[in-house]
Amino acid sequence: MTVLARGPMNRDLAGAIMARAGARSGLTAEVFTELDAVEALWRGLEADPACLATPYQRFAWVRAYAGAAVAPGALRIVVLRDAAGRPRILLPLAVERRRGIAIARTLGGDHANYHLPLFAARDAAAVPAEDVIAALGLVGRAAGIDVYALGHQPRTWDGAVNPLAIRGEAAPSDGYGMMLGPDPESTLKRAFSADARKKLRSKEKRLVEAHGALAYRKAADGAEAARFLSAFYAQKAARFAAMGIADPYADPAIRAFLTAATAGKNPAVEIHALVLEATGRVLATFGGAVDGARYSGMMTAFDADPEIARFSPGDLLLHHLVRDQAAQGRRAFDLGVGEARYKASVCDETIPLVEATLPVTLRGHAYGFVATRLTRLKRRIKRDPRLFALVRRLRRMKAG
């Protein structure tokens, strides 16, 4: 059992670091360095219907990512408790050192669309932002953290304001989502226009005529997930090469993460695919982080063979996926972060994101100054079609 000492901070025998955040809120903060030490608490929070979180805060998702892609000793799980000792906010982080600065980043990087903290309930999200930041600052000093770099922070989630986003800088890109309805067909009609549905029915019919019967499948086990992932890696590698962009899925650590995340009866990531029934050829793939209420798109790819691509297999799979998720009873669906034609055409909700930089030390303040200006530059480029097109041309020239 961890006992908080009278002083402002204490390191217990299990390695947890604790700090008292201030009299007004009565918050105390703990930092754990091992997932096992906090698993029971974490799973208890996420199992409570009152919990406010995204699929990327599921213990299963974080465990898969941390086990494959976080350096030994870098993991930090911050738990903020109220004056009564109840856990209210949980924030998983990984600490890295750059030029002597210890940076605590939200776990998952760009592979997680939303880095919302896990809130025990809506009232936990209503804790004053300055109190949350003060708690993080005190425990950050005790843990040797110079700055928190909290990317992809939603300004709000399910109607609740995210206190970590209040001081954030608008992110270069936002997320795109939609609410699902209880009736799958009505949901489809809302997401796809009558003209779009007609074109997709025609393309599906012609694809079947040209190549044979189709099957829409969700990976039933680890072996099928591995087969779909293999097709995804090949399709995505070809796409990135054509764009002159480095392939993040070539990293063995990320592949190990996705293997772990798609395993088991209740996987953290669901993989769906459009395949030819006769041969098993994978024509398109879609993977997303899931919880009981939401499917959050993480990755998608399609077969670029002109004889396949002309039938828009990715759009066909997306059409089926929206129907499938509504039929499963999930109430929300999103296509993740970043601008794309298909996202804007299907989704009717923009999810505003910010990059929150919270300095703890003087070195952290220096890092935050530079990071904020880089975020502004990236946002300007991404949201200006001419500048973004220029950057893409330069990438292709460099790759060539």
Side-chain angles (χ1 to χ4, degrees):
M1 179 177 179
T2 300
V3 180
L4 186 65
R6 287 188 177 183
M9 62 192 71
N10 174 59
R11 189 184 303 268
D12 76 349
L13 295 178
I17 299 170
M18 307 188 69
R20 191 172 296 283
R24 183 172 63 168
S25 67
L27 286 178
T28 57
E30 303 167 280
V31 175
F32 295 88
T33 58
E34 296 180 2
L35 283 173
D36 289 348
V38 75
E39 179 176 1
L41 181 153
W42 195 327
R43 289 190 183 277
L45 289 174
E46 70 177 51
D48 189 330
C51 178
L52 186 68
T54 85
Y56 303 97
Q57 283 75 61
R58 277 184 63 190
F59 183 83
W61 197 98
V62 172
R63 180 173 60 183
Y65 187 87
V70 174
L75 187 66
R76 303 288 187 273
I77 303 102
V78 177
V79 177
L80 302 185
R81 296 178 182 269
D82 63 14
R86 298 178 303 164
R88 310 310 291 154
I89 300 174
L90 186 149
L91 182 63
L93 304 163
V95 176
E96 66 171 355
R97 285 196 169 273
R98 286 195 176 183
R99 299 181 180 179
I101 301 175
I103 307 165
R105 298 188 185 278
T106 37
L107 211 67
D110 289 337
H111 294 282
N113 287 312
Y114 312 112
H115 290 295
L116 186 78
L118 186 152
F119 296 104
R122 289 182 176 274
D123 64 343
V127 173
E130 57 268 28
D131 291 354
V132 176
I133 293 170
L136 292 176
L138 284 174
V139 82
R141 292 185 187 92
I145 294 170
D146 290 305
V147 62
Y148 294 90
L150 310 178
H152 292 193
Q153 291 291 320
R155 290 190 182 276
T156 64
W157 195 260
D158 200 17
V161 175
N162 175 12
L164 292 183
I166 289 176
R167 296 188 186 178
E169 184 75 22
S173 298
D174 292 323
Y176 294 83
M178 63 180 293
M179 300 305 294
L180 301 172
D183 178 56
E185 295 307 318
S186 296
T187 299
L188 276 179
K189 289 179 181 179
R190 179 160 49 86
F192 298 87
S193 68
D195 183 57
R197 297 196 306 275
K198 181 179 178 180
K199 288 180 179 178
L200 287 172
R201 285 194 298 269
S202 175
K203 288 184 176 183
E204 185 177 50
K205 180 180 178 181
R206 290 186 286 119
L207 178 56
V208 170
E209 291 172 348
H211 297 281
L214 302 171
Y216 293 92
R217 293 181 181 161
K218 179 175 74 173
D221 52 34
E224 191 166 39
R227 186 165 71 85
F228 293 164
L229 284 172
S230 179
F232 167 80
Y233 295 141
Q235 293 164 1
K236 208 64 175 177
R239 176 67 172 165
F240 281 129
M243 296 174 65
I245 298 175
D247 180 4
Y249 298 102
D251 184 345
I254 297 306
R255 295 192 176 194
F257 152 59
L258 290 173
T259 296
T262 54
K265 293 182 179 180
N266 185 23
V269 175
E270 281 186 5
I271 300 291
H272 295 249
L274 172 61
V275 303
L276 293 178
E277 279 194 344
T279 64
R281 180 177 178 180
V282 178
L283 307 185
T285 52
F286 213 108
V290 294
D291 59 20
R294 176 178 290 265
Y295 184 103
S296 180
M298 291 171 55
M299 55 197 197
T300 186
F302 63 89
D303 192 326
D305 180 344
E307 290 303 309
I308 297 295
R310 65 193 181 98
F311 299 112
S312 303
D315 289 345
L316 292 175
L317 178 57
L318 178 58
H319 183 269
H320 172 82
L321 184 60
V322 171
R323 179 197 285 117
D324 174 80
Q325 294 305 304
Q328 284 193 45
R330 290 195 170 110
R331 62 182 180 85
F333 179 90
D334 72 70
L335 292 171
V337 179
E339 296 73 21
R341 175 197 58 80
Y342 76 97
K343 295 182 182 182
S345 65
V346 172
C347 298
D348 57 9
E349 176 191 5
T350 299
I351 303 171
L353 302 175
V354 305
E355 305 288 314
T357 305
L358 308 178
V360 176
T361 67
L362 287 176
R363 284 181 296 187
H365 277 280
Y367 173 90
F369 179 84
V370 174
T372 297
R373 276 142 189 82
L374 284 175
T375 296
R376 291 174 183 171
L377 177 61
K378 290 178 182 178
R379 184 174 70 246
R380 181 184 176 191
I381 291 172
K382 280 205 167 186
R383 302 198 182 193
D384 185 320
R386 292 174 299 176
L387 287 175
F388 193 50
L390 174 61
V391 169
R392 295 182 70 175
R393 285 198 299 271
L394 291 173
R395 283 174 175 170
R396 291 194 186 99
M397 291 172 59
K398 184 178 180 181

